[in-house]
Amino acid sequence: MTSEQSGDVVVVGGGVIGLTTAVVLAERGRRVRVWTRDPVERTTSVVAGALWWPYRIAPVASARQWALRSLDVYEELALRPDETGVRMVEGVQGETEPDEVGEWAAGRLPGVRASSADEYAGSGVWARLPLIDMPVHLPWLRERLLRAGGTVEERPVAALPEVAAPVVVNCTGLGARDLVPDPSVWPVRGQLVVVENPGIDTWVVSSAPDGTTAYLFPQPGRLVLGGTADDNAWSLEPDPEVAEAIVRRCAALRPEIAGARVLEHRVGLRPARPTVRLEREVLPDGRVCVHNYGHGGAGVTVAWGCAEEAAALAASS
């Protein structure tokens, strides 16, 4: 076995899916290397809002189970928010009824109730959910992986067969479109505006009849405003008119946002697919590849549930 084959597992992709999967594998005793094209701090995941909620992801039944398993982990991580970047925060999920939540999360989200008119001008549910500060959480995941004996290398991969390891785990998100190749993967462009927080400590997600959305997530030292979901849009350049519209929609929900100073503009491309691909494949040379990509806008929400399933598939090799 060459030096390139000395690790048990190579995880390709250093976003939240790749790092979480690598952590689970390493903590189960596998020797793990993560190969990532971009530094962890520059992956798509760092742009995420990131509120725990199974958003635009299929298959729905599996996604809900992955999400609930991830909820278990995030609730524990929220005991150390400064370290992990995970906090439990209250807010309103607009255009949602308590019965809809109860269908799949009964007993797991205590305190879910219909929002009051003072909290939200419309039907919604009040809930306490994990809100993850991704610029903190991703480096924390990397450090947890390193403590478990794993490594992270900035190393682009042009084709899966070039990854010389007994087991390859493909967590490349949108990159799977070219790497696999999988033409069923497409980008869903999301634009955010980060502003100074004028004193808001609850989150809101709202959907208008025309399909536009508005959300505001209070993160330490700032307020993250969104957003957009533009299918098959590849531009990573912030659009000033879109940014103005985002601020306007959010200010309609919380008027104090109108005068908040803009700190930053962000754009990310969500890796969408008709369904998540989470399965084991035998490569032409007999090695095993576990695919774990296509999570759309819910990668953070399902990361731990998918990571454990991917680790189990890798263990069967």
Side-chain angles (χ1 to χ4, degrees), residues 5 19 68 98 107 119 129 145 163 170 175 185 188-189 202 279-280 289 299 301 306:
Q5 295 172 306
L19 286 177
L68 291 173
E119 293 163 343
L129 302 178
L145 171 63
V163 183
N170 172 22
V185 180
V188 178
R189 183 182 183 276
T202 59
E279 63 184 16
R280 181 179 183 271
C289 179
T301 297
C306 288

Side-chain angles (χ1 to χ4, degrees), residues 10 12 35 155-165 168 170 172 175-176 178-181 283 285 287 289 291:
V10 168
V12 185
W35 290 3
R155 180 170 180 166
V157 176
L160 291 175
E162 76 180 46
V163 183
V168 181
N170 172 22
T172 53
D178 295 322
L179 184 67
V180 174
L283 297 175
D285 60 7
R287 292 179 302 120
C289 179
H291 296 284

Side-chain angles (χ1 to χ4, degrees), residues 142-309:
R142 178 179 57 201
E143 292 308 308
R144 180 166 167 175
L145 171 63
L146 297 179
R147 288 195 303 271
T151 62
V152 178
E153 304 172 40
E154 291 177 27
R155 180 170 180 166
V157 176
L160 291 175
E162 76 180 46
V163 183
V167 178
V168 181
V169 184
N170 172 22
C171 300
T172 53
L174 190 59
R177 181 181 175 91
D178 295 322
L179 184 67
V180 174
D182 184 348
S184 71
V185 180
W186 76 92
V188 178
R189 183 182 183 276
Q191 182 166 329
L192 306 175
V193 181
V194 182
V195 301
E196 286 187 341
N197 192 336
I200 294 171
D201 59 6
T202 59
W203 53 268
V204 180
V205 177
S206 177
S207 301
D210 64 0
T212 58
T213 61
Y215 54 79
L216 48 112
F217 299 145
Q219 296 285 12
R222 63 198 187 282
L223 188 66
V224 178
L225 311 179
T228 61
D230 301 322
D231 288 309
N232 292 301
W234 289 87
S235 174
L236 288 170
E237 290 298 316
D239 183 318
E241 291 185 4
V242 170
E244 290 177 7
I246 289 171
V247 173
R248 190 165 55 247
R249 292 198 301 272
C250 290
L253 297 171
R254 294 288 188 272
E256 59 267 43
I257 289 173
R261 184 168 70 94
V262 174
L263 302 176
E264 184 184 0
H265 296 275
R266 298 181 185 170
V267 176
L269 304 180
R270 305 176 183 97
R273 193 175 184 271
T275 64
V276 171
R277 188 179 185 190
L278 184 46
E279 63 184 16
R280 181 179 183 271
E281 176 188 13
V282 178
L283 297 175
D285 60 7
R287 292 179 302 120
V288 168
C289 179
V290 175
H291 296 284
N292 185 11
Y293 65 88
H295 304 84
V300 174
T301 297
V302 301
W304 289 94
C306 288
E308 291 180 354
E309 189 165 324

Side-chain angles (χ1 to χ4, degrees), residues 19 40-41 133-144:
L19 286 177
V40 168
E41 291 83 359
D133 185 0
M134 296 306 287
V136 173
H137 187 63
L138 289 172
W140 174 81
L141 281 172
R142 178 179 57 201
E143 292 308 308
R144 180 166 167 175

Side-chain angles (χ1 to χ4, degrees), residues 15-168:
V16 69
I17 294 293
L19 286 177
T20 306
T21 301
V23 165
V24 172
L25 284 162
E27 292 182 350
R28 292 185 179 183
R30 304 300 290 264
R31 289 179 297 172
V32 181
R33 289 176 289 158
V34 172
W35 290 3
T36 177
R37 180 187 61 193
D38 301 309
V40 168
E41 291 83 359
R42 293 214 306 266
T43 59
T44 298
S45 297
V46 81
V47 180
L51 180 73
W52 178 93
W53 192 262
Y55 167 75
R56 288 185 66 154
I57 182 172
V60 172
S62 296
R64 287 173 172 176
Q65 291 305 308
W66 296 326
L68 291 173
R69 174 60 192 129
S70 301
L71 177 62
D72 292 337
V73 178
Y74 288 133
E75 286 175 332
E76 189 275 328
L77 296 181
L79 299 175
R80 310 186 308 279
D82 293 341
E83 175 189 348
T84 67
V86 181
R87 294 171 297 127
M88 300 298 294
V89 182
E90 292 183 314
V92 176
Q93 186 77 34
E95 291 65 57
T96 307
E97 299 291 341
D99 288 348
E100 297 175 50
V101 179
E103 287 177 4
W104 62 276
R108 285 299 292 111
L109 295 174
V112 169
R113 58 171 173 78
S115 56
S116 68
D118 290 338
E119 293 163 343
Y120 187 69
S123 63
V125 296
W126 182 270
R128 185 169 181 264
L129 302 178
L131 184 61
I132 296 94
D133 185 0
M134 296 306 287
V136 173
H137 187 63
L138 289 172
W140 174 81
L141 281 172
R142 178 179 57 201
E143 292 308 308
R144 180 166 167 175
L145 171 63
L146 297 179
R147 288 195 303 271
T151 62
V152 178
E153 304 172 40
E154 291 177 27
R155 180 170 180 166
V157 176
L160 291 175
E162 76 180 46
V163 183
V167 178
V168 181

